[in-house]
């Protein structure tokens, strides 16, 4: 049989999915063992047991200076920024996507502009944002909005344009106005695509969040990582990296489940 | 009364004519079947009738009104695909037009109004044989059921003219025959004018009162796109015997 037609059965598929994880973790454990055997005070590759101890400590013991438990206060601070930025960007993406996708006049006026600003590297704007909005929360949220907003606008306008013209014509013959078509045909059709686009832009959103926190913040996951970098505290950094990855996975999973529950008509088999 | 009058209509894309010199008058209540080779402009003609696109030259009037400039509720359309809203249930597809009319700002209804509309739709659904499928999404329906829904939906605004673009092209012969009965029944009840594009000449003879054949009369062998198609045959089938002769005894 050709390889394109061979499919793993369920147990084999699970084992195959685990293999890369096992290899990477195994390689780390071995490397860490070798290095620690040579030099027990080595800080670059802490033993897994030490990473777990550190993680438990970060999640349970209050910081001596602030009195708060670092992992939770950092997570809370970061998630607030991330969710605010992503929500605002999604709202902007949806509104402008509908405008550009549905109205030829809005398309003529806005599409080239949206294409142009999506080429501006957001991180290059970060200093400007700090100057304009100060070092507080606003600049970090705006960075996320500036970072993923243009992508969302372009993606959503494309999705609106892809709505079969038959449906828009049909709605007109049923007496719908432009506004009613936007509300009752285009909006429900692109909402599941909005969730897809937001899922894709969560990665960049984390990137911009951590970059902003690394430069100026009093708390947050990115702040902590870059703070302890000075002491070469690899155990803390690795704990946080795993934790951030887990949070990102949870967010993605939540959006996927939400989409499946809310837009059953959209999920006819295919899925990523 | 004249339902549709097409006066010297041309349609070109990028300077290349697709349709040329179209002239017809269609009586109210006529059932016109449109036949012709693939790519000769049948769908384009329907889009012109629908006012989804405007003629490059000439004009089309429905019931002697001024030529329309965009699709409106006096003409209904059923496409071969994508004719119903995939995000609405079967029942909500049927009450879409009524909801739109009832609420200008939000285009939807709630509570008692909505219940009433749904109850009214119930009767129509039974009528078109979709009573059991009221709460399903269109993607859960078979092709024939989807097209029945699409026709029922197009009729909710009681259009003067119903346009059908190969509506039964993807159906098996059995389902198609049922759909023919269904369509003829609706047509007799409503006295609307129907234009139906089809590739099935038997279907055309079975259903229509008039057959319009599209073809190119002028042809430049060195430049196939130089001329557009026009109506080459305009065959009235009012004479029932003619139809029966074609359909054969059965
Ligand atoms: N928007 C457009 N822009 C440019 N050319 C077009 C456009 N729409 C249709 N055409 C051209 O017009 C011609 C007629 O197209 P049309 O879809 O009306 O054919 P048709 O008779 O419906 O064919 P079929 O039987 O395959 O459905 C084709 O050559 C097509 O390429
Ligand atoms: Mg066609």
């Amino acid at each position: 049989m050709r390889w394109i037609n061979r499919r793993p059965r369920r147990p084999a598929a699970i084992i195959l999915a685990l293999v890369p994880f096992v290899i990477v973790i195994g390689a780390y454990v071995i490397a860490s063992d070798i290095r620690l055997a040579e030099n027990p005070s080595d800080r670059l590759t802490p033993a897994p047991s030490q990473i777990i101890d550190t993680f438990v400590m970060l999640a349970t013991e209050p910081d001596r200076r602030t009195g708060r438990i670092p992992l939770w206060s950092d997570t809370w601070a970061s998630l607030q920024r991330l969710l605010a930025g992503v929500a605002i960007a999604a709202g902007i993406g949806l509104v402008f996507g509908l405008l550009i996708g549905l109205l030829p006049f809005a398309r003529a006026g806005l599409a080239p502009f949206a294409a142009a600003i999506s080429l501006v590297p957001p991180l290059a704007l970060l200093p400007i944002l700090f100057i304009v909005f100060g070092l507080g929360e606003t600049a970090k949220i705006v960075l996320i909005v500036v970072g993923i907003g243009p992508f969302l606008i372009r993606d959503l306008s494309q999705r609106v344009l892809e709505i079969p013209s038959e449906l828009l014509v049909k709605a007109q013959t049923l007496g719908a106005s432009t506004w009613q078509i936007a509300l009752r045909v285009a909006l429900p059709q692109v909402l599941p695509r909005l969730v897809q686009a937001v899922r894709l832009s969560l990665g960049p959103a984390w990137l911009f969040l951590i970059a902003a926190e690394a430069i100026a913040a009093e708390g947050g996951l990115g702040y902590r990582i870059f703070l302890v970098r000075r002491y070469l505290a690899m155990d803390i950094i690795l704990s946080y990296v795993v934790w951030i990855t887990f949070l990102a996975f949870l967010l993605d999973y939540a959006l996927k489940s939400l989409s499946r529950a809310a837009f059953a008509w959209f999920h006819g088999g295919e899925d990523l | 009364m004249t339902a549709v009058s097409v006066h010297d209509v041309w349609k070109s894309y990028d300077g290349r004519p697709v349709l040329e010199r179209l002239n017809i008058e269609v009586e109210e209540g006529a059932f016109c079947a449109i036949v012709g080779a693939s790519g000769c402009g049948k769908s384009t003609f329907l889009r012109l009738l629908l006012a989804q696109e405007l003629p490059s030259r000439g004009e089309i009037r429905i019931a002697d009104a001024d030529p329309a400039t965009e699709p409106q509720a006096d003409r209904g359309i059923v496409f071969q695909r994508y004719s119903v809203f995939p995000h609405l249930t079967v029942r909500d597809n049927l009450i879409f037009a009524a909801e739109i009319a009832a609420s200008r700002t939000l285009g939807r209804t709630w509570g008692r109004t909505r219940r009433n509309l749904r109850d009214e739709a119930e009767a129509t659904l039974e009528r078109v044989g979709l009573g059991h499928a009221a709460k399903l999404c269109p993607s859960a329906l078979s092709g024939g059921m989807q097209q029945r829904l699409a026709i029922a939906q197009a009729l909710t605004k009681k259009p003067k003219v119903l346009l059908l673009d190969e509506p039964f092209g993807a159906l098996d012969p059995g389902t198609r025959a049922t759909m023919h009965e269904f369509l003829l029944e609706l047509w007799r009840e409503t006295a609307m004018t129907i234009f139906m594009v089809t590739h099935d000449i038997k279907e055309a003879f079975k259903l229509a009162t008039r057959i319009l054949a599209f073809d190119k009369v002028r042809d430049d062998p060195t430049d196939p796109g130089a001329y557009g198609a026009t109506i080459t045959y305009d065959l009235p089938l009012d004479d029932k015997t003619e139809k029966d002769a074609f359909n054969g005894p059965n």
Side-chain angles (χ1 to χ4, degrees):
Chain A
M1 222 208 283
R2 289 182 187 81
W3 277 101
I4 56 165
N5 293 325
R6 294 192 189 187
R7 284 158 208 284
R9 287 169 193 284
R10 189 119 177 95
I14 294 173
I15 292 171
L16 283 174
L18 287 176
V19 165
F21 289 98
V22 172
I23 291 179
V24 169
I25 294 171
Y28 178 85
V29 171
I30 294 169
S32 161
D33 264 0
I34 295 173
R35 290 183 63 106
L36 289 173
E38 276 174 17
N39 172 12
S41 62
D42 177 85
R43 309 200 50 153
L44 272 188
T45 50
S49 57
Q50 195 199 334
I51 297 177
I52 292 170
D53 289 346
T54 305
F55 184 82
V56 171
M57 185 198 77
L58 289 167
T60 51
E61 287 174 27
D63 187 282
R64 244 176 272 119
R65 195 164 49 81
T66 62
R68 281 179 298 188
I69 298 173
L71 185 73
W72 303 121
S73 67
D74 287 341
T75 302
W76 177 233
S78 286
L79 277 186
Q80 271 181 311
R81 294 167 187 147
L82 185 84
L83 295 183
V86 170
I88 294 171
I92 293 175
L94 187 61
V95 169
F96 281 89
L98 282 170
L99 281 173
I100 294 174
L102 277 180
L103 305 178
F105 268 94
R107 183 148 66 243
L110 292 173
F113 183 66
I117 57 166
S118 71
L119 297 175
V120 177
L123 282 180
L125 292 180
L126 190 53
I128 304 178
L129 298 182
F130 280 138
I131 293 167
V132 174
F133 296 107
L135 299 179
E137 298 301 291
T138 319
K140 300 177 191 80
I141 294 173
V142 171
L143 178 69
I144 297 175
V145 173
V146 171
I148 65 174
F151 162 75
L152 288 173
I153 292 176
R154 293 185 78 184
D155 191 73
L156 265 285
S157 21
Q158 189 56 40
R159 301 295 157 244
V160 175
L161 279 172
E162 282 167 9
I163 295 175
S165 65
E166 284 92 337
L167 294 182
L168 303 182
V169 170
K170 183 84 180 214
Q172 294 177 61
T173 63
L174 295 176
S177 65
T178 299
W179 167 248
Q180 290 171 323
I181 290 174
L183 213 57
R184 296 255 9 230
V185 182
L187 178 65
Q189 296 257 341
V190 292
L191 275 183
R193 277 119 177 150
L194 173 69
V195 177
Q196 276 183 339
V198 166
R199 281 176 67 192
L200 285 180
S201 60
L202 274 180
W206 277 104
L207 166 77
F208 295 124
L209 173 73
I210 291 171
E213 287 179 343
I215 293 173
E218 275 103 56
L221 298 163
Y223 159 80
R224 187 76 48 192
I225 291 183
F226 278 81
L227 181 74
V228 301
R229 177 188 61 121
R230 291 181 220 146
Y231 322 123
L232 232 60
M234 281 297 272
D235 48 349
I236 298 184
I237 296 179
L238 287 174
S239 295
Y240 266 60
V241 168
V242 172
W243 177 241
I244 292 172
T245 310
F246 177 68
L247 288 177
F249 168 79
L250 272 191
L251 278 180
D252 185 65
Y253 185 79
L255 283 175
K256 182 165 137 182
S257 311
L258 169 91
S259 180
R260 285 178 159 235
F263 314 115
W265 63 271
F266 183 73
H267 295 277
E270 123 301 335
D271 223 1
L272 260 166
Chain B
M1 201 186 113
T2 310
V4 179
S5 90
V6 177
H7 182 67
D8 191 31
V9 162
W10 294 59
K11 181 66 187 176
S12 312
Y13 292 111
D14 311 319
R16 299 209 153 265
V18 170
L19 294 170
E20 60 178 49
R21 296 176 294 142
L22 299 182
N23 281 294
I24 45 164
E25 303 277 318
V26 175
E27 289 296 297
E28 190 179 326
F31 192 137
C32 297
I34 298 171
V35 298
S38 211
C40 73
K42 304 181 296 295
S43 299
T44 305
F45 181 56
L46 281 200
R47 285 200 297 276
L48 293 175
L49 289 175
L50 186 63
Q52 182 186 349
E53 286 176 28
L54 303 182
S56 313
R57 210 202 287 178
E59 61 177 33
I60 295 175
R61 288 173 189 269
I62 299 229
D64 293 327
D66 282 341
T69 52
E70 60 178 353
Q72 50 195 49
D74 61 355
R75 38 207 103 174
I77 176 88
V78 174
F79 298 102
Q80 189 169 4
R81 302 189 305 147
Y82 305 124
S83 252
V84 292
F85 300 116
H87 59 282
L88 297 178
T89 62
V90 167
R91 188 170 60 184
D92 289 349
N93 260 290
L94 269 195
I95 65 171
F96 182 87
E99 286 197 286
I100 289 287
S103 158
R104 281 272 105 194
T105 42
L106 291 176
R108 65 184 310 159
T109 55
W110 283 272
R112 169 104 57 76
T113 328
R114 188 182 173 89
R115 250 195 325 277
N116 288 345
L117 289 177
R118 282 181 165 176
D119 289 345
E120 282 169 38
E122 213 66 42
T124 317
L125 284 175
E126 289 301 337
R127 171 77 220 286
V128 301
L130 291 173
H132 60 286
K135 288 179 190 150
L136 295 180
C137 273
S139 60
L141 303 182
S142 71
M145 290 159 86
Q146 285 191 22
Q147 285 309 67
R148 257 181 286 160
L149 175 61
I151 294 174
Q153 186 191 39
L155 295 183
T156 50
K157 287 300 267 187
K158 304 201 176 10
K160 294 195 185 78
V161 178
L162 179 65
L163 307 166
L164 306 159
D165 196 349
E166 299 181 44
F168 313 133
L171 305 182
D172 69 90
T175 314
R176 202 184 284 209
T178 331
M179 294 296 290
H180 290 163
E181 293 314 315
F182 172 64
L183 182 60
L184 285 176
E185 216 175 282
L186 291 174
W187 172 58
R188 287 189 198 109
E189 270 169 34
T190 54
M192 63 190 161
T193 312
I194 297 185
F195 286 84
M196 181 173 90
V197 173
T198 176
H199 280 290
D200 182 348
I201 198 80
K202 262 189 97 167
E203 181 175 80
F205 272 90
K206 178 176 167 195
L207 299 175
T209 58
R210 186 169 173 184
I211 291 187
L212 306 173
F214 280 65
D215 201 0
K216 288 184 185 180
V217 275
R218 305 190 284 174
D219 199 17
D220 182 346
T222 58
D223 184 7
Y227 301 106
T230 188
I231 299 174
T232 50
Y233 286 98
D234 182 350
L235 186 65
L237 294 177
D238 290 329
D239 191 355
K240 195 81 183 83
T241 54
E242 220 172 317
K243 287 178 88 165
D244 291 342
F246 187 86
N247 291 331
N250 53 15

